[in-house]
Amino acid sequence: MTSSTLKASPLRLSTASASFEADFKARLHWSADADAAIEQRVADILTDVQQRGDAAVLDYTRRFDGLQAASMTALELSQADFKEAFDSLPAVQREALQNAAARIRSYHEAQKKASGESWSYRDADGTLLGQKVTPLDRVGIYVPGGKAAYPSSLLMNAIPAHVAGVGEIIMVVPTPAKGSVATGGAGGDASAQGERNVLVLAAAYVAGVTRAFTIGGAQAVAALAYGTATVPAVDKITGPGNAYVAAAKRRVFGTVGIDMIAGPSEILVLADGSTRPDWIAMDLFSQAEHDELAQSILLCPDADYIERVQQEIDRLLPTMPRAEIIAASLNGRGALIHTRSMEEACAISNRIAPEHLEVSSSEPHRWEPLLKHAGAIFLGAYTSESLGDYCAGPNHVLPTSSTARFSSPLGVYDFQKRSSLIEVSHAGAQVLGPIAVTLAEGEGLQAHAEAARMRLGGV
Amino acid sequence: MTSSTLKASPLRLSTASASFEADFKARLHWSADADAAIEQRVADILTDVQQRGDAAVLDYTRRFDGLQAASMTALELSQADFKEAFDSLPAVQREALQNAAARIRSYHEAQKKASGESWSYRDADGTLLGQKVTPLDRVGIYVPGGKAAYPSSLLMNAIPAHVAGVGEIIMVVPTPAKGSVATGGAGGDASAQGERNVLVLAAAYVAGVTRAFTIGGAQAVAALAYGTATVPAVDKITGPGNAYVAAAKRRVFGTVGIDMIAGPSEILVLADGSTRPDWIAMDLFSQAEHDELAQSILLCPDADYIERVQQEIDRLLPTMPRAEIIAASLNGRGALIHTRSMEEACAISNRIAPEHLEVSSSEPHRWEPLLKHAGAIFLGAYTSESLGDYCAGPNHVLPTSSTARFSSPLGVYDFQKRSSLIEVSHAGAQVLGPIAVTLAEGEGLQAHAEAARMRLGGV
C-alpha cells in the first residue's frame, strides 16, 4: 500500500449509543495467551543453563544470535566499550543523553526522599518499631537488541537502581549477527561480534552499568537468575523483552524478583477541545508508532473536535516514516470516543486504567482528582507523552493492560526492600505478652505462647 | 513414638569445619517443585470458573468441601455472622483481638505516613513532577480453613488494606464439611454449612471485612480474579494457602496483583550468649511448631552456649503439645551453627536472608547495621518472634525462602499504587523539547519527536 492511500480510522464510538458497552469492551480486549510451545522451550533453556552454565549460554547464543564466541569472556562488554560508544556520538546526542539522565536522576532522588527512607519510632512502653530500607545488592537489566533497542529504557531502568544504592548493575543485551535466527535469517554470516547499538552502549556509559554481556533471550534471563561461572546471579531482573524473555521472567520469579510483564503500550487522551487538534493527532501517533498492537484512545465530549482530530490524522499520517505501523495500530485498536461530559470521560478512563493518560484540557487540575488509575498522568496541552517518555524525569516503565489498577511505575522502590524493626523493651514485653499468649493459644500454637510467657516477670 | 523418646537434634555445624560450605548449602536447600498434576487441575478450574462463574464455584465447593449449597448466596457470610462470632468469645479473647488490631493499625498508619503519601514539586521551569498515591479499589483476602486458620493472619492482611484506604475487602475462607475431600474424607456427611472457625469470623469483625464467602482452593482464587455474578472481581489477592491456592495465584498474576508465594516459615537467631538459653530454645520451637518443613537456625560464636541451648531443647521438648512436629522440623531442617565471631554470624545471616531474624544480644544495635537482608529483625532478648507475630504492630506476612533479598513485609504499600504526575509548562516544553527530539530521532520514533517539536515556539 502506498502512503497516499493509507488511511487511519480509529473506531468511532459514542457513550450515548446503545451498543457502546459491547463495542467498548470488544475494542479494549487484549489477552496475552500463553504459547505452549514457547513455554516448553523456555523451560528447557532455563533448566539447561541452570545445569551447564556458561556452556549452555554459549550454545544458545551461537544458535539464536549467530555469535561464534569461544568463551563467555568474548561476550562481555567493557567500560572502555561504553566510553568509546559515548565518545563516538555527536555532541547533541551526548548532551541529550546526559541531560535526560540528570533529570531522571533528580526525579528519582526526590522519589527516594519522599517514600524510600528508613523510619522508626518508640511507643509509650519504649518499644522500637519501624522499617529499615536497604538497596538490593545486584540487579540485572534486560535491554532488547536490534531495532527495538531503546537507550532511553536503559536510563529508565539503571538510574532508579543507582539512586536506590544498588551495588552492581548487570546489563544483558543481545547483539545478533546479520543473517542469524534472531534477525530472521537461517544462521549464516556468523561472527564473534554481532550488531551493537551505539546509543545503548553510550547510555550504559551515562547510566553507570557495572558489567554487560551481549546475550539475550531466555538464556540471558537464566544466566542472571541462576548465575554461571562468568555471569553473576542477581537479585532482581527488570526490563522489557520478547515473548521468550517474558516467559522466562515469569518462570524465574521467586528465585529472583522481576519488575512486570508488559503488554502492548497504550495512551488515553482526555480532551476538552482546548488543545490544537494536530497536537492530539500526533500524540495518538506517538503511541501507535510503537507497534501494531499499541492502543491509542481519545475521549472527548465535543463531537466537532473529534472530527477535527480525525482530519489532522488524515493530514499528518502521510508525513510519518512509520505510517504503516501507525495506521495498523489505529485501525485495529484505536478509538475516538464521544462522551456526554468530561466527568464521564474520567469515569471511563478509570475503567481502562491506562498506561499513559494525557489530560489535554485548559483546566487539568479540575479533572486530575477524578482520575484514580493510571501509570502516568500528563497534565495540560504542553505535556506530550513524548516529553515524559524521554526526559521530564518520571519513569517511562509503566503498568500496561489495566494493571495500573494495582501496580505502579518502575521506581526507586523497585530496587529497595524493607525489613521490619522491632525492639520490645522489658516493659513492652509485659504489655504484649498476655495478648500474644491469648492469641497463640487460640491458634493452638503453644510454643509461641510459651515464648511470650517466658518474657513475663522481673528483669 | 512417645514423647519421652522424642529427640530434637538440630544439625551441628561449625564454620571452622572444612565441610561447612557443603553442609550449610545442603541444609538450606529447599525447592518448591512445581507439581504438573496440580498445575493442570488448577488451570482447568480457573478456566471453568471464568466460563461458568457461580455454577462452577458451587460445583467445586460441593466436590472438595462437601458443602451442598443451592446457591452462592448460601455461601456468603454476613456482618451479623461476624458480630455473633465476636460476641461469643470470652472477654480475654475479644480484648486480645482488639488490642492486637489497634497496635497493628497504629504501626501501619505510621508506615503510610512515612512512605505512602503523594508528593510533588515544581522545577525551575515551572514543570510539576511527582507521584499520586491512591488505594486499590477492592482486594481479596484468602484465609485458609480448618486447623491452619489463623485469625492473626486475617488481621495482618486486612488492616494494612484498611489503612491504605481500600474501599472493599472481600474475604474467602473455606469451611469444609466433616468427611469432605478437603478434610481427608471421601465426600460423605455433607451439609450446607461446614466447620467455621469462630476466631477467624471474630477477627473479620475486628478488622472490618466488607463481604465474605465460605469458598476456598483454586475456585475461590478464580472467583476473586475474574468475578462471578455473586463474587465481585478484585484488583489484588493476598493471603496464604495450600499448593492449589499458590498455583492459582501464580496463574492469575497479571489479571490481578498478588502478594507473594510463601515457602516454609523460617527463623534465624543470632546469639551472643547473653540471653537465657531456654528462651532461645523456645523461640526455635515457636518456628518449628508451624510444620515439619519450617526451618530454625541458631548462629552463635560460643560453643558452650550452643550446648546449653541443646540441653534446654532436650528438657523442654517433652512439655510441648506439638512436640512431634517440632522434632521433625528441627531434625530435618534445623541447625545450630558455631561461628568464629558475631561478625561472621551476621555475614552468614545475610547469605540466608531469613524471614525472621532475632538478634538475641546484649548489644543488638551493634549488629543491626551489619544485617542487610531479612523480613523482620527482632532486637534484644525480650523481642521474641511470637510477640512480633501477634501484636507488636509490624506485619507478620514476610518474605520467605531467601526472597528478603528483593522483597518486603506485607504493608500499606501493597494496597496502594502510584501514578506519576507530570505537568510541563510552556517554558519547560522549550527546554525538554530539544532533548526529546534528539533522543526520539536516535530511536527512530519520529512521531515522538514531532509531538515534542510541535510544542516548541510561542504560546
Side-chain angles (χ1 to χ4, degrees), chain B residues 338-394:
Chain B
H338 181 221
T339 61
R340 293 183 183 87
S341 63
M342 281 295 282
E343 285 81 357
E344 186 185 49
C346 291
I348 292 174
S349 173
N350 285 332
R351 288 180 59 187
I352 296 175
E355 181 190 12
H356 304 95
L357 172 51
E358 280 188 14
V359 187
S360 215
S361 159
S362 57
E363 39 185 9
H365 291 281
R366 178 173 168 196
W367 309 118
E368 184 272 311
L370 305 187
L371 300 166
K372 294 200 292 180
H373 313 302
I377 303 176
F378 302 80
L379 297 162
Y382 280 99
T383 316
S384 71
E385 188 210 305
S386 67
L387 295 179
D389 276 353
Y390 287 110
C391 53

Side-chain angles (χ1 to χ4, degrees), chain A residues 259-332:
Chain A
D259 51 344
M260 57 184 87
I261 308 289
S265 196
E266 323 135 24
I267 190 172
L268 188 143
V269 181
L270 291 182
D272 63 6
S274 63
T275 304
R276 286 178 49 163
D278 56 338
W279 292 13
I280 300 295
M282 195 56 73
D283 291 353
L284 297 173
F285 285 3
S286 72
Q287 199 58 38
E289 75 175 338
H290 275 296
D291 68 78
E292 289 84 350
L293 285 174
Q295 184 155 54
S296 301
I297 294 178
L298 172 66
L299 290 171
C300 176
D302 179 342
D304 290 343
Y305 184 78
I306 291 177
E307 198 49 59
R308 288 161 62 205
V309 170
Q310 178 63 58
Q311 286 165 12
E312 292 299 330
I313 289 174
D314 296 339
R315 184 176 71 81
L316 292 167
L317 183 67
T319 70
M320 303 313 302
R322 295 166 76 92
E324 297 211 11
I325 295 172
I326 292 170
S329 163
L330 292 180
N331 291 328

Side-chain angles (χ1 to χ4, degrees), chain B residues 88-417:
Chain B
S88 77
L89 294 180
V92 65
Q93 282 191 325
R94 289 202 306 268
E95 281 159 24
L97 279 175
Q98 284 179 317
N99 284 333
R103 291 193 60 99
I104 296 166
R105 190 173 296 118
S106 162
Y107 175 83
H108 287 87
E109 278 165 359
Q111 183 179 67
K112 183 182 181 185
K113 205 167 168 186
S115 58
E117 304 286 358
S118 302
W119 56 274
S120 67
Y121 64 97
R122 282 192 191 272
D123 70 12
D125 299 315
T127 294
L128 174 95
L129 300 169
Q131 277 194 322
K132 168 155 100 162
V133 182
T134 47
L136 276 61
D137 280 345
R138 191 190 285 140
V139 302
I141 294 178
Y142 191 98
V143 180
K147 285 182 188 165
Y150 295 141
S152 57
S153 287
L154 174 50
L155 299 183
M156 292 291 182
N157 278 274
I159 291 172
H162 251 296
V163 171
V166 169
E168 294 177 54
I169 299 173
I170 314 296
M171 173 173 98
V172 292
V173 55
T175 57
K178 271 185 191 157
S180 68
V181 175
T183 60
D189 189 25
S191 67
Q193 185 178 318
E195 293 204 67
R196 297 179 179 177
N197 182 313
V198 176
L199 280 167
V200 165
L201 268 57
Y205 174 75
V206 171
V209 164
T210 314
R211 293 178 71 184
F213 300 91
T214 57
I215 58 177
Q219 59 273 19
V221 174
L224 291 171
Y226 307 124
T228 69
T230 311
V231 181
V234 302
D235 299 305
K236 185 165 189 166
I237 301 173
T238 70
N242 63 18
Y244 289 87
V245 173
K249 280 171 67 181
R250 197 181 271 272
R251 280 181 176 267
V252 298
F253 172 55
T255 301
V256 296
I258 62 170
D259 50 347
M260 58 184 88
I261 308 289
S265 196
E266 321 135 25
I267 190 172
L268 188 143
V269 180
L270 289 183
D272 63 6
S274 63
T275 305
R276 287 178 49 164
D278 56 337
W279 292 13
I280 300 295
M282 195 57 71
D283 291 353
L284 297 173
F285 285 3
S286 72
Q287 200 58 38
E289 75 175 338
H290 275 296
D291 69 78
E292 288 83 351
L293 286 174
Q295 184 155 54
S296 302
I297 294 178
L298 171 66
L299 290 171
C300 177
D302 179 343
D304 290 342
Y305 184 77
I306 293 177
E307 198 49 56
R308 288 162 61 204
V309 170
Q310 178 64 58
Q311 286 164 11
E312 292 298 330
I313 290 174
D314 296 339
R315 183 176 70 83
L316 292 166
L317 183 67
T319 71
M320 302 313 301
R322 294 165 78 93
E324 297 212 10
I325 295 173
I326 292 170
S329 163
L330 292 181
N331 291 327
R333 303 208 68 224
L336 308 180
I337 304 178
H338 181 221
T339 61
R340 293 183 183 87
S341 63
M342 281 295 282
E343 285 81 357
E344 186 185 49
C346 291
I348 292 174
S349 173
N350 285 332
R351 288 180 59 187
I352 296 175
E355 181 190 12
H356 304 95
L357 172 51
E358 280 188 14
V359 187
S360 215
S361 159
S362 57
E363 39 185 9
H365 291 281
R366 178 173 168 196
W367 309 118
E368 184 272 311
L370 305 187
L371 300 166
K372 294 200 292 180
H373 313 302
I377 303 176
F378 302 80
L379 297 162
Y382 280 99
T383 316
S384 71
E385 188 210 305
S386 67
L387 295 179
D389 276 353
Y390 287 110
C391 53
N395 211 289
H396 79 195
V397 181
L398 299 169
T400 59
S401 307
S402 208
T403 59
R405 290 179 294 118
F406 55 84
S407 54
S408 303
L410 190 71
V412 172
Y413 36 77
D414 286 296
F415 299 102
Q416 296 175 318
K417 28 65 178 193

Side-chain angles (χ1 to χ4, degrees), chain A residues 26-161:
Chain A
R27 176 93 332 190
L28 280 186
H29 181 76
W30 177 81
S31 104
D33 288 326
D35 180 319
I38 289 181
E39 287 293 326
Q40 189 55 54
R41 261 181 288 173
V42 165
D44 292 344
I45 293 171
L46 295 183
T47 305
D48 197 19
V49 172
Q50 200 172 7
Q51 290 172 350
R52 294 199 300 128
D54 281 344
V57 176
L58 282 168
D59 281 352
Y60 292 113
T61 303
R62 280 189 204 108
R63 198 191 306 174
F64 300 133
D65 293 344
L67 297 191
Q68 301 297 328
S71 72
M72 279 298 292
T73 315
L75 297 181
E76 182 160 5
L77 296 168
S78 68
Q79 297 293 332
D81 291 329
F82 299 158
K83 180 156 196 319
E84 191 185 329
F86 181 77
D87 290 340
S88 76
L89 294 180
V92 64
Q93 282 191 325
R94 290 203 304 270
E95 282 160 22
L97 279 175
Q98 284 179 318
N99 284 333
R103 290 193 60 98
I104 296 165
R105 193 172 295 118
S106 161
Y107 175 83
H108 287 87
E109 277 165 0
Q111 183 180 67
K112 183 182 181 186
K113 206 167 166 185
S115 57
E117 304 285 0
S118 301
W119 56 275
S120 67
Y121 64 97
R122 282 193 190 270
D123 70 13
D125 299 316
T127 293
L128 174 96
L129 300 168
Q131 277 195 323
K132 168 155 102 163
V133 183
T134 47
L136 275 60
D137 278 345
R138 190 190 285 141
V139 302
I141 294 179
Y142 191 98
V143 179
K147 285 182 187 164
Y150 295 141
S152 58
S153 287
L154 175 49
L155 299 183
M156 292 293 182
N157 279 273
I159 291 173

